[in-house]
Amino acid sequence: MRDPHKHHTAGRELAFRRGSAPAPVPRRSDAHADITACRAILEGLGQGQRMTQADAEQLLATPAILNEVGRDAGAWAREHTGDIITYCVDTNISYTNVCDVYCRFCAFWRTPGAPDAYVLTPARLRHKVSTAVAAGATQILLQGGHNPALGIEWYEAMLQDLKGAFPSLQLHALSPSEIHHIRQVSGCSLRETLSRLHAAGLDSLPGGGAEVLSDEVRDHQSIRKMSADQWLEVHKVAHQEGLRSTATMMFGTVDLPRHRTEHLQRLRTLQDQTGGFTAFICWTYQQGPTVMEGNGATGVDYLLTSAVARLFLDNIANLQASWPTQGPAMGQVALWYGANDFGSTLLEENVVSAAGALHRMDEAAIVRAIQGAGFIAAKRTTLYDILHVHPSPTEPLLGSKA
Ligand code: SF4
């Protein structure tokens, strides 16, 4: 019987003897030009130029440039925050799962009256918070659905109750879409809503509900949610009221590089005006049991988007690695690609986990992950003040006794 492998090998030898080159490995015809263009962008940044939206789009569309963007984003982070990687101890309490927005990417909401719909009582909320405080929490991330039955007085009472019981705890609560919902239900202006909640105990705002700040994407995934302009307006007024906030981006549904760069551009423009964002956090859509399609954002998409964001958002001091969605190993890699913060413990988390992200780490595991990635771990407050720097491990990480 004829041996096809032998025949193939003999054919190759014959081809080499005749001096012909092996067939070239297929490559994208424009790959070389793309990389050259990307290198020119990075060189311009090195000379002090500010990245444009078109530059960011070119970088995001060129996966082959990942390591070079990551190198520069990592260098940016080391120059600004040194070798310290911060983290926060907190819990993410969802005060209600009732929501009438029905985002297509969300698996958390329940309709009013559903058998498993809930609103936490003050006693239940206090119990959850005191459990987190006993575990070392310095911040409570408090978010929930857009419950049409809850007006501003309910939120004021919740904040006053928790502030009274835990005066030194940072209440990092109510994302812009919840603020927008509260003002609609209560008939208040945006400024009055924020000022009343601030007076009741609200300390800072999380950046949830941003998804991708492009109405082309938002109209497809959550038509009943606030627009990109409205999301930015809540942050702007919050910053004017003296509240700090974080900015987020969840990508990997139907968005394209141009939508992500529009998002980054809009954040940077607002930050130039107010300076109120403390950090940027991006993560990829978790498809899980939701009805929304996804474009399958990969690990390279995540790292490249995170690194490009680091270089683009030159006016936002901190970038978080998103290990709850990407996993601890990818979170460690992100620290070498521009992230300077490992997020928080999220002792309890309901929204992202409902969509299928199941990664969990306690404080000890976070410290080990940071140190294992080659950095110094430090516990921080919500506003990025350092509370405690962990000494570097003196034992080898693998406990070698040789
Ligand atoms: S993401 Fe928020 S606003 Fe959208 S359905 Fe889920 S809970 Fe409601």
Side-chain angles (χ1 to χ4, degrees), residues 99 101-103 105-106 108-109 145-146 225:
C99 188
V101 178
Y102 317 125
C103 300
F105 56 82
C106 178
F108 173 71
W109 59 265
H146 298 195
K225 211 167 194 171

Side-chain angles (χ1 to χ4, degrees), residues 172-315:
H172 188 55
L174 307 175
S175 64
S177 65
E178 290 160 272
I179 299 284
H180 183 67
H181 164 76
I182 295 166
R183 66 165 288 221
Q184 281 185 321
V185 169
S186 309
C188 302
S189 71
L190 176 56
R191 195 169 293 281
E192 182 191 350
T193 304
L194 281 162
S195 141
R196 283 177 62 174
L197 295 170
H198 191 187
L202 178 65
D203 291 311
S204 51
L205 260 61
E211 287 86 57
V212 174
L213 293 174
S214 165
D215 289 334
E216 200 179 357
V217 176
R218 302 176 76 77
D219 288 350
H220 183 78
Q221 61 192 23
S222 44
I223 188 75
R224 289 165 61 87
K225 211 167 194 171
M226 67 197 316
S227 67
D229 281 347
Q230 288 168 326
W231 188 93
L232 289 158
E233 185 65 15
V234 172
H235 283 282
K236 184 176 181 178
V237 176
H239 295 169
Q240 289 167 351
E241 288 289 312
L243 292 157
R244 308 296 298 276
S245 64
T246 52
T248 65
M249 176 167 72
M250 182 202 74
F251 63 95
T253 58
V254 295
D255 49 276
L256 299 169
R258 69 185 161 84
H259 299 119
R260 294 180 209 169
T261 58
E262 180 184 345
H263 182 112
L264 296 176
Q265 179 67 64
R266 302 193 77 174
L267 287 181
R268 191 172 74 183
T269 301
L270 178 57
Q271 182 73 344
D272 278 343
Q273 294 167 19
T274 67
F277 288 120
T278 56
F280 176 71
I281 312 128
C282 66
W283 66 90
T284 58
Y285 168 53
Q286 308 294 303
Q287 193 153 19
T290 64
V291 297
M292 178 95 193
E293 67 275 39
N295 67 14
T298 64
V300 168
D301 284 331
Y302 169 68
L303 287 175
L304 187 55
T305 302
S306 180
V308 168
R310 176 57 292 160
L311 294 172
F312 192 93
L313 299 173
D314 55 2
N315 53 3

